[in-house]
């Protein structure tokens, strides 16, 4: 099996220099160096005799302490036909429920519950019900204010979605958050579809309840399977990205699961980690060159 190693740096830092790439290529006896973006990303074509695990170990040692991410993949199957993405702290920089809670005056409490849930310390569904309960009486109109003043799109997200769609991929935003947010965010980023939990509303306010069943860890994986089937694809033809414990199911099911600036439990259980780069790293992982990116 032919493998390719991809080295990626944050595009703002451009820390991938020729000297490091050359020494790394020599260490793994790479047959070829292919630059994807100057000082930001490149591919190293591995010798046929080198096993994936061996290359991963060497690359991890060489990149240790440097702002460079590494990944080793099958060269013939890394370009994907679909994208499944988490929203909170992945496609946007915030956790929407934490922003909602801040308006109620229970921000610190909810943020603590969110952190424990994303770290896998408490059940996601239970944690969501508890946090949503604290939003009882909050005006629905607050969502629009939060979207305008507090929510920022994660770097590289527009390029990721636009480039994959232009190359025929189906893109879906699958969130354990709420449709009140995914509707707007998916439109801004250009996703083909979105799925999330629905907050119950009455007389212009949230009731503190969410429609069951909750879209959690298992439901995210099920959504990936359903979307793949609907488009005549298999989960192996998707790249998935997320950061929290509730993303682990879909990350494991996808052909390429990427832990993006992830919580420790997610990073430890996901083969491919992006700790330094932004969302354009998912394009480099698939072999796209910078000059192929669309915004």
């Amino acid at each position: 099996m032919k493998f390719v190693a991809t080295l990626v740096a944050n595009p703002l830092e451009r820390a991938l220099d020729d000297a490091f790439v050359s020494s790394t290529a020599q260490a793994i006896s790479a047959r070829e160096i292919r630059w994807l973006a100057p000082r930001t990303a490149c591919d190293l074509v591995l010798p046929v005799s080198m096993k994936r695990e061996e290359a991963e170990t060497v690359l991890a040692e060489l990149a240790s302490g440097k702002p460079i991410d590494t990944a080793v993949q099958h060269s013939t199957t890394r370009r994907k036909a679909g994208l499944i993405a988490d929203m909170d702290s992945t496609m946007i920089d915030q956790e929407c429920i934490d922003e909602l809670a801040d308006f109620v005056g229970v921000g610190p409490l909810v943020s603590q519950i969110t952190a424990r849930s994303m770290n896998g310390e408490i059940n996601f569904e239970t944690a969501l019900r508890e946090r949503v309960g604290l939003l009882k009486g909050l005006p629905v109109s607050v969502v629009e204010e939060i979207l305008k003043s507090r929510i920022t799109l994660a770097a590289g997200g527009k390029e990721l979605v636009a480039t994959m769609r232009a190359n025929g991929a189906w893109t879906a935003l699958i969130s354990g958050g709420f449709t009140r947010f995914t509707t707007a965010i998916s439109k801004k980023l250009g996703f083909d579809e979105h799925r999330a939990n629905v907050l119950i509303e009455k007389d212009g306010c949230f009731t503190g309840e969410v429609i069951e069943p909750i879209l959690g860890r298992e439901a995210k994986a099920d959504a990936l399977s359903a979307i793949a089937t609907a488009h005549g694809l298999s989960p192996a033809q998707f790249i998935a990205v997320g950061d929290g414990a509730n993303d682990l199911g879909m990350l494991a099911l996808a052909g390429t699961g990427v832990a993006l600036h992830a919580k420790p439990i997610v990073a430890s259980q996901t083969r491919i980690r992006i700790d330094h780069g932004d969302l354009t790293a998912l394009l480099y992982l698939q072999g796209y060159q910078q000059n192929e990116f669309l915004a």
Side-chain angles (χ1 to χ4, degrees), residues 40-104:
T40 301
C42 75
D43 281 341
L44 303 178
V45 180
L46 304 185
V48 177
S49 59
M50 178 168 280
K51 295 182 179 180
R52 180 175 186 171
E53 293 77 10
E54 179 185 357
E56 288 174 336
T57 298
V58 174
L59 290 170
E61 292 176 353
L62 292 173
S64 179
K66 296 180 174 60
I68 296 170
D69 298 307
T70 65
V72 179
Q73 303 175 85
H74 297 299
S75 60
T76 56
T77 59
R78 64 175 176 155
R79 181 70 64 93
K80 300 302 181 184
L83 166 69
I84 298 290
D86 171 48
M87 180 177 69
D88 297 291
S89 298
T90 299
M91 298 305 299
I92 61 175
D93 297 316
Q94 295 77 25
E95 293 283 338
C96 289
I97 194 166
D98 292 357
E99 300 301 327
L100 286 170
D102 193 48
F103 270 80
V104 188

Side-chain angles (χ1 to χ4, degrees), residues 73-266:
Q73 303 175 85
H74 297 299
S75 60
T76 56
T77 59
R78 64 175 176 155
R79 181 70 64 93
K80 300 302 181 184
L83 166 69
I84 298 290
D86 171 48
M87 180 177 69
D88 297 291
S89 298
T90 299
M91 298 305 299
I92 61 175
D93 297 316
Q94 295 77 25
E95 293 283 338
C96 289
I97 194 166
D98 292 357
E99 300 301 327
L100 286 170
D102 193 48
F103 270 80
V104 188
V106 292
L109 173 60
V110 168
S111 294
Q112 183 181 52
I113 298 172
T114 299
R116 292 182 64 201
S117 176
M118 292 300 99
N119 281 321
E121 298 173 17
I122 52 178
N123 176 270
F124 176 82
E125 289 79 1
T126 300
L128 186 67
R129 293 188 191 97
E130 182 179 353
R131 288 175 291 167
V132 168
L134 296 171
L135 303 179
K136 184 176 180 178
L138 184 68
V140 174
S141 59
V142 165
V143 172
E144 190 63 31
E145 184 177 346
I146 290 174
L147 284 166
K148 289 181 178 179
S149 64
R150 297 192 175 206
I151 302 302
T152 53
L153 302 179
K158 285 188 175 182
E159 290 86 347
L160 170 62
V161 176
T163 303
M164 289 193 67
R165 287 191 68 188
N167 284 272
W170 185 262
T171 60
L173 185 66
I174 308 298
S175 173
F178 312 113
T179 53
R180 277 280 179 178
F181 288 95
T182 59
T183 298
I185 298 303
S186 64
K187 184 177 181 179
K188 285 185 177 182
L189 289 170
F191 279 93
D192 291 297
E193 67 172 289
H194 67 96
R195 301 186 186 190
N197 292 300
V198 180
L199 290 171
I200 298 176
E201 305 169 14
K202 184 178 181 180
D203 299 327
C205 295
F206 295 119
T207 66
E209 301 166 295
V210 59
I211 291 179
E212 301 281 348
I214 289 174
L215 199 161
R217 176 171 172 169
E218 291 185 7
K220 281 194 170 190
D222 291 343
L224 168 54
S225 294
I227 291 169
T229 299
H231 296 279
L233 301 169
S234 72
Q237 292 175 277
F238 279 75
I239 186 169
V241 60
D243 73 303
N246 62 322
D247 296 316
L248 281 169
M250 72 176 189
L251 295 181
L253 183 62
T256 301
V258 181
L260 181 78
H261 304 164
K263 310 304 184 289
I265 188 174
V266 182

